[in-house]
Amino acid sequence: MTGRDSGLPGEGPAPVDPGRYSLLAAVSCLAAAVAFLVAGLTGAADVTPMPAAPWQVVVPAAVLAAVLSVLRPAPHHARLLLAGEVLAGVLMLAGSLGRLPHNLLFAIVWSLMKITGATPAFEMVPQWGKFVVHLVTLGAGIALLLRIRHQLRTEPGLASLRERRGSRLAPERASGLLRRIAVVAAVAPLPYGVLKVAWALGWRGGFAEDDAFRDVQVQTPGFGDTGVLAGVAVVIAVLMAVPVAGRWVRRALVTIGAVGALMLVPAGAVGCYDLVLTALGFDRHELSSIALWAFVLVYPTLLLWGLALAAETWLYWVVTKRNPAVDGSGSDQAAARGTAKESDYLNRST
């Protein structure tokens, strides 16, 4: 039996060899280490001074993650290795997750300005070098997550974790949770979206300075379009709650939900961090143009929205994965083939 063919009739290729997951994670983490090292030594600027781990922390963490990802531990060391990989991955991503949403936002708005000729309410010039660094680090985090996921499925020393992970939610309970979380995910964008549309239409409430954003119009990037995106988010939340059928629709919704949560949670968390510092008496530049009540309305809402969207996306994936009629797999034979492949792979790994 080879690594590319499980030898079972009708099954096709076997799962990817674990060495490939390890190699992908190692190379990606080393790329992130090099990218952050170059950015740190050259003093590459970022678009916003959002809190983030310094490059002196990120680079060693990324190197450590790369080294740990190629190790194959003895069963009694498997949990220790897993904990090390998780810790190294968290420290590596701590340099990017808080700043990636604003980098992505600046890149999107800049691109829209080039296409439409619209003028933003304030200068939004992307720092492309640092944007690429954050994207490379995010890719390394995803690769490391795939490696950890594979470990949880195949490492003999993690069998007890697999058993605990295998105790799934009952289908009825998962569906009920999905619908309840969907209500939160659909309602949470409304305050933010309504406020942005009101500002786009000329309402001046919520500004700490009289001349702040005085030239804002509906077509100004970051205002009218943001209101539209908030409306789209409500539709996405409803579609996942139904849940809609179709394999490609399912994948598209999961991708949108994951990217949305990745944008919203760090931005909301950083905003809440600023609010805490403000409450403790620190002077925060981020609050200089916007009234405190508007800041309080926006950023906790973004955090709640992001967390609800992340939870809904995960529940939607779980619920539809168990339902062949929804996920488009066609029959229960697909699930049976996946189980047979996993069992065969576990046997070969041990």
Side-chain angles (χ1 to χ4, degrees), residues 45 47 103 106-108 110-111 125-134:
V47 296
N103 277 270
F106 273 51
I108 293 173
W110 182 87
S111 301
V125 179
Q127 299 292 335
W128 295 109
K130 209 57 180 292
F131 182 37
V132 171
V133 170
H134 294 318

Side-chain angles (χ1 to χ4, degrees), residues 81-127:
L81 177 66
L82 180 66
E85 287 180 277
V86 171
L87 177 60
V90 168
L91 291 176
M92 177 181 68
L93 289 171
S96 292
L97 287 185
R99 296 182 175 180
L100 181 59
H102 286 84
N103 277 270
L104 181 58
L105 176 64
F106 273 51
I108 293 173
V109 172
W110 182 87
S111 301
L112 290 175
M113 287 191 308
K114 293 298 182 181
I115 295 172
T116 64
T119 303
F122 51 90
E123 186 178 10
M124 301 186 76
V125 179
Q127 299 292 335

Side-chain angles (χ1 to χ4, degrees), residues 207-218:
F207 295 129
E209 301 173 359
D210 292 338
D211 62 342
F213 307 120
R214 62 182 180 276
D215 297 326
V216 165
Q217 299 176 350
V218 174

